[in-house]
């Protein structure tokens, strides 16, 4: 569980009663782009729940302040060398951007996740981490709406925690509805801190539901998030801005319920936790499709390779078959690590969240999303 000291509670109490900050006190949002890269050092590690740890990271240079700012809800890309291979992953920042001296990354150990196991099992205080960012558009800083509904499952609470901490520290005047689901009571990430924030922030309304409480003394709500839970917790739900973060099945079910309950699609923001497509274990190990490729010709100009792509295959998947090392992490279009330059031809991309207007003007595409509409040439 989250460790909350008396000092932390006092600090929340203080900020909750403080006057709203002036314009100059509010941290300016950083550009939504991977515009910083460098090293951060692990200053402390807190075990939140079994298998979930928070890593507090500070500048490895010894500087007092972080070399970047971020907007609540953004994430960092991190890279590790594991077993001789470079591996990238993206993790949401769980701390508030008002804390300029550090960021917290809260990571769940996935039994088959090489990077999360490396981080949770092996990372120690003092270790350095290669990182880049911040990135992501799943953000909320209080200017977008006058209330917010945050719906999270499991470790999907991490970006919500950044938003919740930030809005509380700013004494934001709007109502915050937090609906959080997880499997067992022991998996209540940030449970103590959420309760403490609730005590000092009367605008925070929390509903928690546990899906597998059997064999425990859990006395709260049981089962998955339902329409009844949503409407009971959030008055006038249809008129509010809603953010949802969790695994794909939970997100799809929750989105469908919210739309049925009248939430406008443009007020509904989602962030997937867990990639939709598994990456191959290493470059060149992707399964080769058996049928002959009949799609457009893809030329990787740096590697002097040109082959036809399969219908529905992405440029990243094809590059992996050919052992062309295009960096990647999320594989769902949000981290920006797989950017490559398209020098000829046209592609379709379902998600382009991590492309800036500059990228778009300069022919940069996301390899994990790009499906050629014509013969193409990419710089890779
Ligand atoms: S791998 Fe993250 S945007 Fe493509």
């Amino acid at each position: 569980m989250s460790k909350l000291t008396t000092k932390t509670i006092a600090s929340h109490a203080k900020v909750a009663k403080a006057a709203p900050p002036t314009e100059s006190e509010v941290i300016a949002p950083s550009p939504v782009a991977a515009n910083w890269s460098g090293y951060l050092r692990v200053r402390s590690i807190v075990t939140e729940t079994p298998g979930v740890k928070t890593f507090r990271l500070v500048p490895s240079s010894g500087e007092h302040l972080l070399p970047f700012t971020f907007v609540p809800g953004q994430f960092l890309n991190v890279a590790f060398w594991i077993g001789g291979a470079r591996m990238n992953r993206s993790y949401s920042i769980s701390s508030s951007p008002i804390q300029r001296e550090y960021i917290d990354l809260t990571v769940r150990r996935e039994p088959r996740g090489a990077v999360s196991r490396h981080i949770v099992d092996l990372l120690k205080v003092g270790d350095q981490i290669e990182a880049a960012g911040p990135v992501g558009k799943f953000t909320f800083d209080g200017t977008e709406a006058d209330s917010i509904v945050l719906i999270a499952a499991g470790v999907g609470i991490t970006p919500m925690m950044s938003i919740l901490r930030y809005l509380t520290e700013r004494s934001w005047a709007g109502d915050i509805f937090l609906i959080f689901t997880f499997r067992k009571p022991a998996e209540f990430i940030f449970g103590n801190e959420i309760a403490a924030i609730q005590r000092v922030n009367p605008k925070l309304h929390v509903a928690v539901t546990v899906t597998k409480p059997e064999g425990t003394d859990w006395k709260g709500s049981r089962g998955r998030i339902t329409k009844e839970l949503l409407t009971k917790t959030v008055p006038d739900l249809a008129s509010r801005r809603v953010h949802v973060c969790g695994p794909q099945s939970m997100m799809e079910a929750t989105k469908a319920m919210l739309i049925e309950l009248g939430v406008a699609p443009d007020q509904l923001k989602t962030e997937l936790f867990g990639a939709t497509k598994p990456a191959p274990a290493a470059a060149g190990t992707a399964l080769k499709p058996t049928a002959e490729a009949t799609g457009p010709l893809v030329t990787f100009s740096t590697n002097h390779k040109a082959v036809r792509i399969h219908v529905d295959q992405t440029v990243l998947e094809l590059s992996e078959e050919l052992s062309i090392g295009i960096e990647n992490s999320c594989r769902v279009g949000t981290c920006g690590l797989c950017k490559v330059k398209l020098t000829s031809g046209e592609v379709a991309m379902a998600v382009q969240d991590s492309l800036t207007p500059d990228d778009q003007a300069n022919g940069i595409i996301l390899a994990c999303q790009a499906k050629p509409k014509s013969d193409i040439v990419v710089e890779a």
Side-chain angles (χ1 to χ4, degrees), residues 191-252:
N192 290 345
E193 185 170 347
I194 290 169
I197 295 176
Q198 227 181 337
R199 287 196 289 275
V200 298
N201 184 351
K203 292 289 190 177
L204 173 62
H205 316 277
V206 179
V208 170
T209 185
V210 175
T211 57
K212 292 195 186 329
E214 296 79 11
T216 72
D217 61 355
W218 178 255
K219 296 189 179 56
S221 175
R222 295 170 171 234
R224 293 176 188 277
I225 292 171
T226 60
K227 281 196 217 171
E228 291 66 38
L229 180 72
L230 291 169
T231 50
K232 196 174 80 182
T233 310
V234 188
D236 307 319
L237 174 63
S239 66
R240 300 186 192 271
R241 164 112 168 186
V242 185
H243 285 213
V244 187
C245 186
Q248 189 154 23
S249 56
M250 169 269 182
M251 292 227 308
E252 279 168 10

Side-chain angles (χ1 to χ4, degrees), residues 57-337:
L57 308 176
V58 294
S60 66
S61 60
E63 293 288 317
H64 184 57
L65 298 180
L66 291 167
F68 56 85
T69 60
F70 63 95
V71 186
Q74 286 194 298
F75 56 87
L76 269 196
N77 293 321
V78 295
F80 294 91
W81 285 92
I82 300 172
R86 182 182 163 85
M87 296 191 186
N88 300 291
R89 289 294 181 275
S90 310
Y91 291 105
S92 288
I93 300 167
S94 55
S95 52
S96 158
I98 285 181
Q99 310 306 324
R100 290 295 326 279
E101 295 164 27
Y102 62 84
I103 59 155
D104 289 344
L105 296 186
T106 302
V107 179
R108 181 177 65 193
R109 184 186 192 280
E110 304 294 344
R112 287 190 290 173
V115 177
S116 70
R117 281 188 288 139
H118 179 87
I119 293 174
V120 173
D121 295 350
L122 300 177
L123 220 55
K124 318 181 292 300
V125 169
D127 284 352
Q128 297 210 31
I129 295 181
E130 187 183 342
V135 280
K137 293 183 177 173
F138 183 72
T139 57
F140 187 83
D141 67 4
T143 57
E144 303 90 336
D146 57 11
S147 70
I148 180 77
V149 182
L150 306 171
I151 304 176
V155 78
I157 188 69
T158 53
M160 309 307 202
M161 206 57 200
S162 178
I163 294 170
L164 178 54
R165 286 168 164 159
Y166 177 76
L167 296 177
T168 299
E169 286 168 350
R170 282 194 53 196
S171 303
W172 188 61
D175 281 304
I176 307 167
F177 300 90
L178 174 65
I179 299 171
F180 186 18
T181 184
F182 42 89
R183 289 183 314 153
K184 297 174 186 296
E187 297 172 8
F188 194 170
I189 305 169
F190 302 125
N192 290 345
E193 185 170 347
I194 290 169
I197 295 176
Q198 227 181 337
R199 287 196 289 275
V200 298
N201 184 351
K203 292 289 190 177
L204 173 62
H205 316 277
V206 179
V208 170
T209 185
V210 175
T211 57
K212 292 195 186 329
E214 296 79 11
T216 72
D217 61 355
W218 178 255
K219 296 189 179 56
S221 175
R222 295 170 171 234
R224 293 176 188 277
I225 292 171
T226 60
K227 281 196 217 171
E228 291 66 38
L229 180 72
L230 291 169
T231 50
K232 196 174 80 182
T233 310
V234 188
D236 307 319
L237 174 63
S239 66
R240 300 186 192 271
R241 164 112 168 186
V242 185
H243 285 213
V244 187
C245 186
Q248 189 154 23
S249 56
M250 169 269 182
M251 292 227 308
E252 279 168 10
T254 307
K255 265 169 77 174
M257 283 188 280
L258 290 165
I259 300 277
E260 275 179 46
L261 290 168
V263 174
D266 67 345
Q267 290 302 302
L268 185 48
K269 307 289 171 197
T270 58
E271 176 109 311
L272 178 67
F273 257 60
T276 49
K277 293 179 182 176
T285 60
L287 285 179
K288 291 187 171 51
T290 45
E292 196 176 328
T294 55
L297 188 70
V298 178
T299 302
F300 296 95
S301 58
T302 313
N303 280 269
H304 308 292
K305 289 183 178 171
V307 294
R308 292 210 170 271
I309 194 165
H310 283 268
V311 175
D312 261 356
Q313 196 175 24
T314 65
V315 170
L316 178 62
E317 288 163 346
L318 180 62
S319 76
E320 286 167 337
E321 282 182 20
L322 299 171
S323 300
I324 289 168
I326 296 179
E327 281 204 80
N328 64 89
S329 173
C330 71
R331 302 174 79 87
V332 292
T334 52
C335 76
L337 272 181

